[in-house]
Amino acid sequence: MKKNYRVLHLEDDINDAKLVKAALEAAGFCGTITLVEDKLAFQQQLEQQVFDVVLIDCQIPEHSVLGALKQLFALSDAPAIIVSGAIGDEQAVGLIRAGAIDYVLKDNLVRLANTVDRAVLEYRAAKEQQAQEALHEQLINSTHAGMFKTNTKGQCLYVNQQLCQLTGFLEKALLEGGWTRCLFEEDKQAMQLAWRQGIQNGTAFQVEGRLRTAMNNIIWIQCHCSPEIENGVVLGFIGTIVDITDLKKAQQKLRYIAHLDMLTNLPNRRALKRKLEETLDQIKRKTISSIVLIYIDLDHFKKINDTLGHAVGDILLQQAAIRFQQVLRPSDFIARVGGDEFVILVDFSQSARKIHHLTTRLLTQFQQPFMIEGRECITTLSMGVVTVLEDAPAVSADELIQHSDQALYRAKAKGRNYVEYYTDSLNQDIQRIVALENDMRNAVKKGEFSLVYQPQINIVSGQIVGCEALIRWQHPRQGYIAPDVFIPIAEETQLITPISEWVVTQSFRQWQQWQQQFPSLFNPQFMLSINLSPLQFEHQSIKHVTHHLTDLMAQYQTNPNMVTFELTETAVMSNIERMKDIFQAFANIGVCVAIDDFGTGYSSLSYLKELPLNSLKIDKSFVQDLEKSASSQAIVRGILALADALNLNVIAEGIETKAQADFLRQHGCSYGQGYYFAKPMSAEKFTAMLHKQVS
């Protein structure tokens, strides 16, 4: 089938535009693509032409993607698809909520043609619905309609032949019994109410209803009645009746398409909102006592899309939909509301125990891996749950979805594979987090972040052998905010990338100053340790990160062998294959890698042997229990023996007492850091310590 679409493409990179055009033409596209590069040209084309679909790049200079969507919807009803080089989960969800149909990454343009086809299909279906409505008006005014005349008592005085053919009854039967006897009872009541109001007010009216014919067929009819008035008195009505059965079927089909997610065959966001509004109305009328809304996100779905491709991701969504339905009852409602997000609506009273049982079953159901094209795909669930009781304050459908989304946000922040229940206090927490996020976006520019440095000590000699750079945030209104508060928010909102880049740049700049002041100290055994978040590599390629690090080290004359990047053991074990690539890329540019918080993530010895590691950092929880816990002593001895066998350095974190330092030294741990030696300190204070060591 020829794909003769009219496409408007907002893109300022001509090479990217050519790649998009080639991808569409390879899939049989033979329409027109109008390319524009800026806001003004985009506006002019929307005013001058009609388009079937609009493609929008995320990075147009001086024009945000949300601004482009707003500009589009002000002038056109054409569907919008975001075509971007890089886009995160949260941004993608935000753009879809803002009205975009879907998004396609530029490095996966093979998916573009199918996405365009689906968008145009749904767009044309909507246009077809409008055309059907126009046809509907023509049918109403058709001269082939059934006609009748009645008095004010409802007795038929005249019926035409078309009405007899429509109902299947003879003229005599309709005159004696009236045609309204063929209506369904509830439709007859609506007709009688409109009839009485028409007589009372002397006004025309129109009703629709279902009619059972003489052959026992059910048809939909539309009846339009105009009053016959003489000297201000209503004498009766003259009416027309049109068979609108085909129109109703077409409308039902179009409504089904408009409320259906094409990929999973589940209801979509539009259907959810409609169902939710109906259910909330039932609570208001006390026909049901409560509802439970569960907002669900498939954990790490983006990773599966990125590593195995969108085709596998689509199959996973389809199989996930089936698993949900296997857990739910036929009366429960589930919708796919965009991307990897689903919403379940349970519209009957449940105890807290039953709600917990349902969410537990859902979590358990997704513990089993999916088999897709011979590969195992594992995705768990994060869920936000909100309950509405009949005596609760009134809440709208949009507010209810927002509340469950807030609970979902917190569930994901707690590490995923988790269920969070919405409360008023949770709402306050979310508002605080959103406020912190907004403040964090400007914190780097305003100079609110700073670095402190904790000395790393040779436990045997007592000499400083390096330091760990640690970020601090002095908020202008709230004062000091701990890293374990703002770092998770930065990771969730993708702010971790610019913050990490700032930390690395500032650390290298300070390191260069120390090298110039203390050249005798700075040998390859003197180390600068910097923490990295694995989420940074979800938004940037490994190649991009290592190139940036290489440029910075060259700029600040930093020896790569003196730099150690730390990643937590939990992060390493969450995606070991990905971490192998990251560690090897670091090794290729000469920097060292340490596993932080070691002992908490259940590392496999076989994986440790395969990773190009340099150091292990014993988690402080074990170090601080050394004086009172035999198991912690055994774990530390085991880590030291493991490191010795693998020829790895070991640094103990959180040393607070002489007894802890003595134990570590006696069992072969050479390096440590903690309050026993020194707290994290400013660059000036660390400089003073270096002066003291040199002298």
Side-chain angles (χ1 to χ4, degrees):
M1 184 179 76
K2 289 187 177 181
K3 302 173 182 180
N4 192 20
Y5 306 152
R6 294 161 296 181
V7 180
L8 177 60
H9 189 188
L10 177 57
E11 171 62 73
D12 66 329
D13 189 321
I14 189 64
N15 292 323
D16 286 351
K18 289 179 180 178
L19 290 175
V20 167
K21 182 178 181 182
L24 292 175
E25 290 177 347
F29 174 81
C30 60
T32 59
I33 300 179
T34 302
L35 179 65
V36 293
E37 299 180 358
D38 54 39
K39 179 179 181 180
L40 179 59
F42 189 57
Q43 173 99 6
Q44 290 173 342
Q45 289 299 326
L46 289 172
E47 291 173 344
Q48 295 170 6
Q49 297 191 60
V50 176
F51 297 94
D52 295 309
V53 66
V54 178
L55 310 180
I56 300 175
D57 179 50
C58 268
Q59 297 177 339
I60 300 299
E62 300 181 1
H63 197 27
S64 70
V65 64
L66 289 175
L69 287 173
K70 185 176 180 180
Q71 187 180 13
L72 166 63
F73 297 141
L75 297 169
S76 171
D77 59 354
I81 298 172
I82 308 302
V83 182
S84 177
I87 188 170
D89 288 341
E90 295 294 331
Q91 185 183 9
V93 170
L95 293 175
I96 289 174
R97 289 176 179 172
I101 294 296
D102 205 345
Y103 72 95
V104 176
L105 297 179
K106 290 181 180 178
D107 60 2
N108 192 29
L109 289 176
V110 68
R111 183 171 171 265
L112 180 61
N114 287 337
T115 304
V116 169
D117 284 343
R118 177 171 60 85
V120 173
L121 175 64
E122 293 175 351
Y123 175 61
R124 290 182 174 176
K127 287 292 187 182
E128 179 65 19
Q129 183 175 5
Q130 295 174 3
Q132 290 286 352
E133 291 172 354
L135 175 61
H136 175 55
E137 292 297 323
Q138 294 177 3
L139 289 174
I140 292 175
N141 300 320
S142 172
T143 56
H144 298 289
M147 298 186 66
F148 64 91
K149 180 179 179 180
T150 69
N151 59 23
T152 55
K153 296 180 180 180
Q155 296 173 328
C156 272
L157 306 177
Y158 163 80
V159 295
N160 68 354
Q161 190 60 37
Q162 284 85 352
L163 184 58
C164 295
Q165 293 174 355
L166 187 70
T167 62
F169 288 98
L170 296 174
E171 179 181 0
K172 181 180 179 182
L174 292 177
L175 290 173
E176 291 178 352
W179 69 268
T180 57
R181 65 176 179 172
C182 305
L183 287 172
F184 277 47
E185 187 60 34
E186 55 266 39
D187 298 331
K188 185 185 296 184
Q189 292 175 9
M191 177 72 178
Q192 291 170 344
L193 176 62
W195 184 279
R196 289 193 295 270
Q197 291 176 342
I199 292 176
Q200 181 179 349
N201 301 324
T203 56
F205 64 89
Q206 181 175 290
V207 293
E208 293 181 357
R210 293 154 297 171
L211 182 148
R212 191 180 300 276
T213 69
M215 301 300 294
N216 209 32
N217 295 322
I218 298 173
I219 62 173
W220 274 92
I221 58 99
Q222 185 178 79
C223 174
H224 181 84
C225 293
S226 296
E228 185 180 9
I229 301 176
E230 185 175 305
N231 298 324
V233 178
V234 176
L235 303 179
F237 288 92
I238 296 175
T240 59
I241 295 178
V242 179
D243 183 349
I244 59 171
T245 304
D246 290 342
L247 177 63
K248 283 290 185 181
K249 289 180 179 179
Q251 288 177 337
Q252 183 179 13
K253 183 177 180 180
L254 289 170
R255 277 196 300 270
Y256 177 75
I257 293 174
H259 290 77
L260 179 72
D261 173 58
M262 296 292 190
L263 180 64
T264 62
N265 283 327
L266 292 177
N268 59 16
R269 178 178 287 273
R270 187 182 293 110
L272 167 68
K273 188 173 180 181
R274 180 176 177 181
K275 174 69 173 178
L276 199 49
E277 288 171 344
E278 293 172 354
T279 308
L280 289 172
D281 183 62
Q282 289 179 296
I283 287 184
K284 184 178 179 181
R285 292 186 282 107
K286 299 186 182 301
T287 56
I288 59 175
S289 59
S290 70
I291 59 171
V292 178
L293 189 73
I294 307 174
Y295 207 127
I296 302 175
D297 181 86
L298 302 186
D299 297 332
H300 306 298
F301 177 76
K302 185 176 184 298
K303 287 183 180 178
I304 295 174
N305 254 356
D306 291 344
T307 55
L308 301 181
H310 285 273
V312 172
D314 287 349
I315 297 173
L316 176 58
L317 290 171
Q318 292 169 338
Q319 292 189 10
I322 294 172
R323 284 201 186 179
F324 284 128
Q325 291 170 310
Q326 290 171 345
V327 173
L328 300 174
R329 305 168 310 168
S331 59
D332 297 333
F333 180 89
I334 180 170
R336 179 186 174 220
V337 295
D340 59 342
E341 294 181 336
F342 296 80
V343 171
I344 293 172
L345 180 63
V346 184
D347 60 351
F348 62 91
S349 177
Q350 290 215 48
S351 66
R353 180 182 59 80
K354 288 182 179 180
I355 297 171
H356 175 71
H357 177 67
L358 173 60
T359 56
T360 301
R361 285 188 64 200
L362 290 168
L363 289 175
T364 303
Q365 189 79 349
F366 278 76
Q367 296 298 320
Q368 297 298 320
F370 293 86
M371 291 300 300
I372 301 176
E373 297 179 353
R375 299 175 178 175
E376 281 193 358
C377 297
I378 300 175
T379 179
T380 53
L381 302 180
S382 294
M383 290 184 269
V385 181
V386 60
T387 301
V388 179
L389 304 175
E390 61 182 350
D391 56 352
V395 62
S396 69
D398 288 335
E399 288 172 328
L400 195 56
I401 293 172
Q402 181 184 12
H403 291 168
S404 61
D405 195 13
Q406 288 176 333
L408 172 63
Y409 177 91
R410 177 55 65 89
K412 292 165 67 176
K414 288 185 176 180
R416 296 177 167 83
N417 194 30
Y418 191 83
V419 181
E420 182 70 61
Y421 293 82
Y422 176 83
T423 61
D424 289 338
S425 61
L426 174 64
N427 185 36
Q428 293 171 2
D429 288 344
I430 294 295
Q431 290 177 1
R432 181 180 60 83
I433 289 171
V434 170
L436 276 182
E437 176 190 339
N438 292 333
D439 291 343
M440 207 185 313
R441 293 186 183 277
N442 296 313
V444 173
K445 296 178 183 177
K446 294 180 178 179
E448 296 171 10
F449 287 128
S450 62
L451 292 183
V452 294
Y453 303 87
Q454 185 167 37
Q456 294 176 332
I457 306 298
N458 184 316
I459 300 176
V460 178
S461 67
Q463 297 292 300
I464 300 172
V465 294
C467 64
E468 180 179 0
L470 301 166
I471 189 171
R472 295 292 184 263
W473 185 11
Q474 190 68 25
H475 193 281
R477 295 183 303 279
Q478 301 183 34
Y480 173 73
I481 298 178
D484 59 0
V485 172
F486 70 84
I487 290 297
I489 300 173
E491 290 180 328
E492 188 69 30
T493 57
Q494 300 180 32
L495 291 171
I496 193 64
T497 298
I499 290 175
S500 293
E501 290 176 350
W502 180 86
V503 169
V504 172
T505 302
Q506 296 302 314
S507 299
F508 285 176
R509 179 180 290 118
Q510 182 60 58
W511 195 252
Q512 183 186 39
Q513 294 176 14
W514 284 330
Q515 286 186 101
Q516 293 169 353
Q517 284 181 271
F518 310 101
S520 62
L521 285 179
F522 280 72
N523 56 61
Q525 282 71 47
F526 206 85
M527 302 297 295
L528 169 65
S529 296
I530 303 172
N531 294 286
L532 288 183
S533 167
L535 294 181
Q536 184 174 348
F537 299 95
E538 290 189 8
H539 313 308
Q540 295 177 311
S541 68
I542 300 173
K543 184 176 180 181
H544 174 85
V545 174
T546 53
H547 278 182
H548 182 63
L549 291 174
T550 302
D551 292 342
L552 285 176
M553 287 187 289
Q555 179 181 349
Y556 294 106
Q557 299 176 330
T558 304
N559 184 345
N561 294 328
M562 300 174 71
V563 177
T564 296
F565 288 112
E566 299 180 7
L567 292 102
T568 65
E569 184 183 15
T570 302
V572 171
M573 295 310 300
S574 68
N575 191 344
I576 190 69
E577 295 301 324
R578 175 72 166 167
M579 286 300 159
K580 284 182 185 178
D581 295 336
I582 293 172
F583 281 32
Q584 188 58 57
F586 283 153
N588 291 342
I589 64 173
V591 300
C592 302
V593 182
I595 294 184
D596 198 8
D597 301 336
F598 189 77
T600 61
Y602 308 102
S603 292
S604 166
L605 295 181
S606 61
Y607 285 136
L608 284 179
K609 289 192 300 182
E610 296 175 16
L611 292 172
L613 275 175
N614 301 93
S615 305
L616 301 177
K617 296 192 73 174
I618 302 176
D619 185 68
K620 63 182 179 182
S621 63
F622 301 119
V623 174
Q624 292 169 357
D625 279 349
L626 284 176
E627 298 172 65
K628 57 185 178 182
S629 171
S631 61
S632 290
Q633 293 176 5
I635 290 171
V636 169
R637 287 195 297 268
I639 293 173
L640 291 170
L642 171 65
D644 184 61
L646 296 177
N647 195 28
L648 299 175
N649 292 324
V650 177
I651 301 175
E653 295 183 288
I655 302 173
E656 296 183 349
T657 67
K658 182 178 183 299
Q660 294 167 1
D662 290 342
F663 179 93
L664 292 163
R665 182 174 56 254
Q666 292 165 9
H667 289 85
C669 181
S670 300
Y671 306 106
Q673 65 187 86
Y675 283 14
Y676 175 67
F677 301 110
K679 295 181 179 180
M681 62 188 67
S682 66
E684 292 76 16
K685 290 184 179 180
F686 189 68
T687 302
M689 286 190 70
L690 294 179
H691 270 298
K692 185 176 179 180
Q693 179 159 313
V694 170
S695 62

